[in-house]
Amino acid sequence: MMAREACREAFSKRILEEAKKDRDIVVICTDSRGSASLGSYPEELPEQFVELGIAEQNAVTMAAGMASVGKKAYVVGPASFYSMRAAEQVKVDVAYSHNNVKIIGISGGISYGALGATHHSLQDIALMRAIPGLIVEVPSDANQMRALVGKFLSIDDPVYVRIGRGPVPVIYNENCDVEIGKAITWFDGTDAAIIACGQMVWRALEAAKELEKEGIHVTVVDMHTIKPLDEETILSVAEKCGCVLTLEEHSIYGGLGGAVAEVLKTQTKASLMIVGIPDEDVPNGTDEEVFSYYGMDVPGIVLKVKELIEKKK
């Protein structure tokens, strides 16, 4: 059975490890230390931890203030609240002011399935990628999350990271490398390309394996950085395959699919299918149930790829 690990736990273990070596690292929570799986961080490093209670806007502004005097601030809490409620603070205090703040949005997408639309974050990628100067990352597994933390410590740019809540399949090895702004290409098919992010990457890989059994060869791209977008890879796979399917745990508007469409519409004639959550109220349920409902599970992805290839002919 494939190993599974939650990205939030991978982040917490790595940041504790790094914070023990660097007193400038500070983690700020908003009644979310449990949700973030911070573990023993608050007890081991109390002088590098701040608990604000449920006050996401204040947390972002506090992080910006600490960053302005040299701290490396990590704000950790639900993606739904940090992307929507604190949007102005992210835009002005963090991005516009060029402060070294990393916003770790946990339980992203439909991770809080049973809690419904109030806790879903299905518009966060659209919102965050529209803010100038803000890097947007959506890692696909725990090892990639760990690798990204290492990259974050080497740059002063503000970053928004969206990760889920539950354990996800581990698809990269423990020593994997990741480059901000550079996609990772799996397989080398020419019939179609799937460009995915987050936990949908594993589903795209499984769908590609199923299609391979039927003689359909698919390229899969892990577009972990939504901004800056790896346009070179998008154009390369579009040229090679002639059709592209984007796959994301996000609204069909403004997310990965929208970003890819902005590239393709002016630079290639490749056809595009954007697969995500439709513009409607989403039924409550686990992520697996919701993905199945919208045909975003492996069988559903297989059918959509076949449909896209038929349109290409």
Side-chain angles (χ1 to χ4, degrees), residues 125 195-197 223 226 229 246-248 250 254-261:
I125 297 174
I195 301 178
C197 63
M223 191 62 72
I226 310 299
L229 192 64
T246 63
L247 182 62
E248 60 191 313
H250 186 271
L256 171 63
V260 171

Side-chain angles (χ1 to χ4, degrees), residues 81-190:
F81 305 139
Y82 278 103
S83 61
M84 302 296 280
R85 185 172 295 159
E88 182 177 350
Q89 286 73 27
V90 174
K91 182 184 78 170
V92 178
D93 298 340
V94 174
Y96 180 65
S97 302
H98 305 288
N99 279 313
N100 183 7
V101 175
K102 275 59 176 179
I103 301 160
I104 312 299
I106 59 174
S107 301
I110 49 177
S111 296
Y112 278 133
L115 297 180
T118 57
H119 284 62
H120 293 161
S121 61
L122 294 173
Q123 303 80 27
D124 57 332
I125 297 174
L127 201 162
M128 291 292 127
R129 81 179 185 89
I131 296 176
L134 190 65
I135 294 170
V136 179
E137 283 285 347
V138 187
S140 54
D141 83 346
N143 286 330
Q144 192 177 65
M145 179 74 248
R146 265 187 283 269
L148 279 170
V149 174
K151 298 294 181 182
F152 297 159
L153 291 168
S154 68
I155 61 172
D156 293 334
D157 307 87
V159 179
Y160 173 75
V161 186
R162 191 244 251 174
I163 54 178
R165 183 174 180 80
V168 294
V170 175
I171 59 175
Y172 293 102
N173 63 49
E174 292 182 358
N175 301 314
C176 72
D177 193 15
V178 60
E179 182 180 348
I180 293 173
K182 183 62 181 174
I184 298 167
T185 301
W186 292 73
F187 309 139
D188 191 31
T190 57

Side-chain angles (χ1 to χ4, degrees), residues 21-63:
K21 298 180 289 188
D22 185 348
R23 291 175 59 84
D24 283 334
I25 293 175
V26 178
V27 171
I28 301 168
C29 274
T30 46
D31 198 26
S32 50
R33 70 178 75 180
S35 296
S37 298
L38 276 182
S40 61
Y41 187 107
E43 289 73 31
E44 292 194 52
L45 301 172
E47 295 182 354
Q48 294 170 247
F49 177 76
V50 179
E51 171 60 75
L52 275 184
I54 302 175
E56 288 82 10
Q57 294 138 311
N58 293 348
V60 172
T61 296
M62 172 181 280

Side-chain angles (χ1 to χ4, degrees), residues 272-288:
L272 172 66
M273 178 184 289
I274 296 175
V275 178
I277 304 298
D279 187 33
E280 62 186 34
D281 293 331
V282 178
N284 292 0
T286 66
D287 51 0
E288 292 291 347

